[in-house]
Amino acid sequence: MASFDIRVIGDPVLRQRAQEIEEIDGSLARLVDDMLNTMYEAPGIGLAAPQVGVNRRLFVWDIGDGPSAMVNPEIVESDGEWSFEEGCLSVPGLSWEILRPKQIHIVGRDLDGNEISYEADELEARMFQHEMDHLDGTLLIERLDADTRKAALQTISDLRIGQKHRPSGGLSLP
Ligand code: ZN
């Protein structure tokens, strides 16, 4: 299994609406394996295809029940409100309290093309909504109120997250 570099904020692929997947085949299964590998290495509990530069409606997750993948997901119902400290592998090292629906019903397809459906609550529902946002080109900072978002963007800029120039680690020669 290979793993990908995770795209970070500033990469245009994270701001595009990902496209529907028309054919579920072996190449998709290999992509899912590599995405899961990338997610476990990070580590994270969910990863959407745009985060590895693939503009398709697909995400993987594991919140403790083993690895899963969903193709062409759709949230068909949501209910309640729940505030939770949320982070994102594409905005590394930062997190914010974000209010979202507490429960959702999500449907999609598995890697055999079968319909799958989950009634999710709290953390699982949060993860699904976060990954769905990625497929619609939305990053978590867009879920913040205007003042918090402004401060968040400043922090991201100060930390140079997503910019080409990164502090060089490791050896420094005199
Ligand atoms: Zn994310």
Side-chain angles (χ1 to χ4, degrees):
M1 278 196 291
S3 64
F4 294 100
D5 286 334
I6 296 177
R7 307 298 182 93
V8 294
I9 185 168
D11 190 315
V13 73
L14 296 173
R15 311 313 289 259
Q16 293 163 6
R17 185 185 184 277
Q19 293 173 357
E20 306 288 330
I21 291 172
E22 275 157 28
E23 214 164 317
I24 298 176
D25 58 16
S27 70
L28 201 66
R30 282 191 297 280
L31 172 63
V32 163
D33 278 347
D34 291 345
M35 283 175 61
L36 282 165
N37 202 34
T38 306
M39 181 188 82
Y40 288 126
E41 272 179 13
I45 60 169
L47 189 71
Q51 291 181 280
V52 297
V54 177
N55 186 31
R56 290 288 180 274
R57 303 189 78 75
L58 162 73
F59 61 73
V60 299
W61 78 96
D62 183 349
I63 59 162
D65 300 328
S68 302
M70 202 183 305
V71 174
N72 297 339
E74 198 184 335
I75 292 173
V76 291
E77 236 181 286
S78 58
D79 197 24
E81 283 188 336
W82 189 47
S83 188
F84 185 74
E85 180 95 10
E86 193 172 322
C88 177
L89 294 173
S90 294
V91 192
L94 300 174
S95 59
W96 296 273
E97 197 77 25
I98 294 175
L99 188 70
R100 293 187 190 260
K102 183 171 176 286
Q103 295 153 321
I104 60 147
H105 180 195
I106 188 169
V107 298
R109 303 228 169 231
D110 67 14
L111 288 181
D112 296 317
N114 299 315
E115 267 184 48
I116 49 176
S117 164
Y118 292 84
E119 305 265 3
D121 194 9
E122 296 197 341
L123 181 63
E124 189 180 38
R126 174 68 53 139
M127 176 275 300
F128 282 137
Q129 292 173 81
H130 182 107
E131 302 314 327
M132 276 303 296
D133 270 0
H134 276 302
L135 302 187
D136 292 329
T138 300
L139 287 172
L140 79 175
I141 51 164
E142 282 155 67
R143 298 290 178 195
L144 302 172
D145 64 61
D147 286 347
T148 314
R149 182 164 58 241
K150 204 173 158 198
L153 288 169
Q154 187 61 53
T155 305
I156 288 162
S157 163
D158 290 346
L159 294 174
R160 294 177 160 274
I161 294 170
Q163 296 182 17
K164 294 270 182 260
H165 173 84
R166 292 180 183 204
S168 56
L171 287 174
S172 65
L173 297 170

